[in-house]
Amino acid sequence: MIDQFFYTEKGNFMQTLHPAASLTYIAVLLVLVLAFSHPLYLIGLMLSVVLAIWAAEGLKAWEGYMKLALGMAVLIMIINPLASSTGNTVLWLTPDLPGLGVLAITVESIFYGALMGLRLLIIVSIFCLYNQIIHPDRLLNLWPRFFRKSALVVSLATRLFPVMTASLHRIKEVQQLRGVDFQAGTLRQRWGKYLYMFNILLISSLEDSLEMAEAMQARAFGSGPRLRYRRDYFRPRDMLCLISCLLAAGIALYALFDGLGTYSFYSGWGDMPGGSSNLPIMAAILGGLSLPALLSWGAQHCHYLESRI
Amino acid sequence: MVKGFFTVRSWFFIIGSAGLLAFAAWLADVMVQPNWGMLSLAIITAILLFLYLSFEEGRVSAREIAVIAVLGALAAAGRVPLAAVPSVQPTTFLVIISGYIFGARAGFMVGSTAALASNLFLGQGPWTIWQMFAWGLAGFSAGLFRYILPNGGWRSMAAFQFGWGYIFGWIMNLWTWLAFIAPLTWQSLLATCAASFWFDSLHAAGNLIIYLLIGRGVAKALERAKRKLEFSYLQVENIAE
């Protein structure tokens, strides 16, 4: 069940994109969801993210993500009306609460809270998409060009993480064979047993790290400029996706500069800024952001297209 | 380390970070309501870039890299065995003690690596960059703490560990507050922090208990590892003698 939350190789079109193209796509989605505050733009963004998740065959995982994020979204929906008494349409005046006084629950603050809850759900959906389409190893391969030492540290730590968790289980089994019962005793005693296990792991891992450093030196680490080996190819599909999402980002910037895509919640209910001029702009942004999903659908149904891109 | 700021890569980092901040500031200014959520994310990213820059440009041996990676992986793995108890984990404890023993730069690297590496397995999310910042800062501040209070003793370290349980929670709350709550007032900040009060308290108590139970043993093991990292160059003529 939990495996579906993480990257699993499905071989679909979205997973074959170059990590730089996928990462740019995710970054553009993330910037736009933070930049837009208008309900229609946010709903449009949610639809294009869900479309991409569908193309990545991750709808089941998305349901799980939504269940987890819903609690946080509800919290945001509750805090906003309680924290803000501004707005013209007062629904309810609370009794005099100690330390807070009389709070006015307004329609505007409830609406703002609901929109911010939606924004959180979109952000979580974007990271669901990220976890579905970007292989962690391919992502790590992107960074050594800019962050040589830091990327090495993260790569080593990532390789060691499963080793450490396996070692923890191994140490626990050895302790149990020696008669340690992790369920017995008071809370302090049980904690002590777990933390003693952690201490053993620390000491043995520090010894291992020195061997690892010697192995790195034996392989000429630090003796000259580092070489890089590339395995990811930048194909026409990557270029198409990159251009489409950058175009969408450009149009979105133009829209924001023109005062579109944002909404003033607490200055009374108003018309949509820009009126009907929003529609072609929204269509262009959402079209650009939906292109990877559309290409995925096209590649599935047209082998000629798949071979060309 | 300062001379590193004059390399081409350093300028790339500086111009990149400045551009990121300027872009976020411009975008926040263009909007009807200033977008503090995006601006804060840009500021945090720029700070992380600068701290990574200092690590990239400094002299780091293979042994240091290996020890930092091992401690980062260990701090990340520490999130697993006590996962059933919310907010209680040895990660913050280990990051702080690493920063205290190995210094601010190593502390930052252990903290940010623990967040990034563990989330590669536990799931990346909007929280990743804030966890990288919060744990990185915990390690960095522990290095500064030792610099300011070299003979602080175990009581001050226990208080530091306890305090970071809350500071970590407040940093993580900051983005929720900036990105999803309006208006940004003390009341709304307090309401956001109040929602996580029990989790933060569990985190703080967990740090304190873990430190009191195994803190001295872990510090000794790390001091021993640090001594093994240290070396000095011998002049060739001295060796010949």
Side-chain angles (χ1 to χ4, degrees), chain A residues 84-150:
Chain A
S84 166
S85 292
T86 36
N88 295 332
T89 323
V90 178
L91 287 179
W92 185 51
L93 288 170
T94 64
D96 197 355
L97 300 170
L100 295 170
V102 178
L103 299 175
I105 308 294
T106 64
V107 172
E108 286 87 348
S109 62
I110 290 174
F111 182 59
Y112 182 80
L115 250 292
M116 291 304 106
L118 174 66
R119 180 185 269 179
L120 178 81
L121 294 181
I122 302 171
I123 291 174
V124 172
S125 303
I126 292 170
F127 278 96
C128 168
L129 177 66
Y130 165 92
N131 287 322
Q132 296 296 312
I133 66 171
I134 303 183
H135 193 296
D137 285 347
R138 292 177 71 202
L139 181 73
L140 281 178
N141 282 341
L142 269 182
W143 299 115
R145 190 184 185 90
F146 309 103
F147 303 90
R148 288 171 204 158
K149 295 169 196 162
S150 318

Side-chain angles (χ1 to χ4, degrees), chain B residues 2-34:
Chain B
V2 173
K3 70 178 169 55
F5 277 86
F6 296 98
T7 64
V8 174
R9 197 151 47 113
S10 305
W11 283 113
F12 170 78
F13 272 102
I14 292 165
I15 293 167
S17 305
L20 185 74
L21 284 175
F23 171 72
W26 170 77
L27 212 52
D29 187 50
V30 160
M31 300 186 181
V32 179
Q33 293 164 322

Side-chain angles (χ1 to χ4, degrees), chain B residues 100-154:
Chain B
Y100 188 77
I101 304 288
F102 291 102
R105 189 179 66 178
F108 164 76
M109 283 305 295
V110 170
S112 64
T113 304
L116 190 59
S118 60
N119 284 340
L120 282 170
F121 295 91
L122 301 174
Q124 303 285 5
W127 48 82
T128 300
I129 205 153
W130 288 85
Q131 282 178 344
M132 283 174 73
F133 176 71
W135 269 321
L137 200 63
F140 191 87
S141 63
L144 294 182
F145 178 74
R146 187 175 197 176
Y147 181 75
I148 296 164
L149 279 175
N151 302 311
W154 69 270

Side-chain angles (χ1 to χ4, degrees), chain B residues 17-175:
Chain B
S17 305
L20 185 74
L21 284 175
F23 171 72
W26 170 77
L27 212 52
D29 187 50
V30 160
M31 300 186 181
V32 179
Q33 293 164 322
N35 194 326
W36 295 109
M38 196 158 61
L39 198 55
S40 63
L41 199 62
I43 290 169
I44 295 296
T45 311
I47 292 171
L48 284 176
L49 279 175
F50 269 104
L51 289 170
Y52 274 110
L53 169 69
S54 91
F55 183 72
E56 288 292 321
E57 299 297 348
R59 274 187 68 164
V60 187
S61 68
R63 283 184 170 201
E64 277 177 82
I65 285 185
V67 167
I68 290 170
V70 161
L71 289 172
L74 200 61
R79 295 179 74 182
V80 178
L82 292 169
V85 192
S87 300
V88 177
Q89 52 196 307
T91 309
T92 314
F93 154 77
L94 190 62
V95 168
I96 289 174
I97 212 118
S98 305
Y100 188 77
I101 304 288
F102 291 102
R105 189 179 66 178
F108 164 76
M109 283 305 295
V110 170
S112 64
T113 304
L116 190 59
S118 60
N119 284 340
L120 282 170
F121 295 91
L122 301 174
Q124 303 285 5
W127 48 82
T128 300
I129 205 153
W130 288 85
Q131 282 178 344
M132 283 174 73
F133 176 71
W135 269 321
L137 200 63
F140 191 87
S141 63
L144 294 182
F145 178 74
R146 187 175 197 176
Y147 181 75
I148 296 164
L149 279 175
N151 302 311
W154 69 270
R155 281 192 187 85
S156 60
M157 180 40 88
F160 191 78
Q161 292 272 3
F162 184 79
W164 258 102
Y166 286 100
I167 298 169
F168 182 88
W170 294 336
I171 291 174
M172 296 304 292
N173 286 337
L174 206 59
W175 191 60

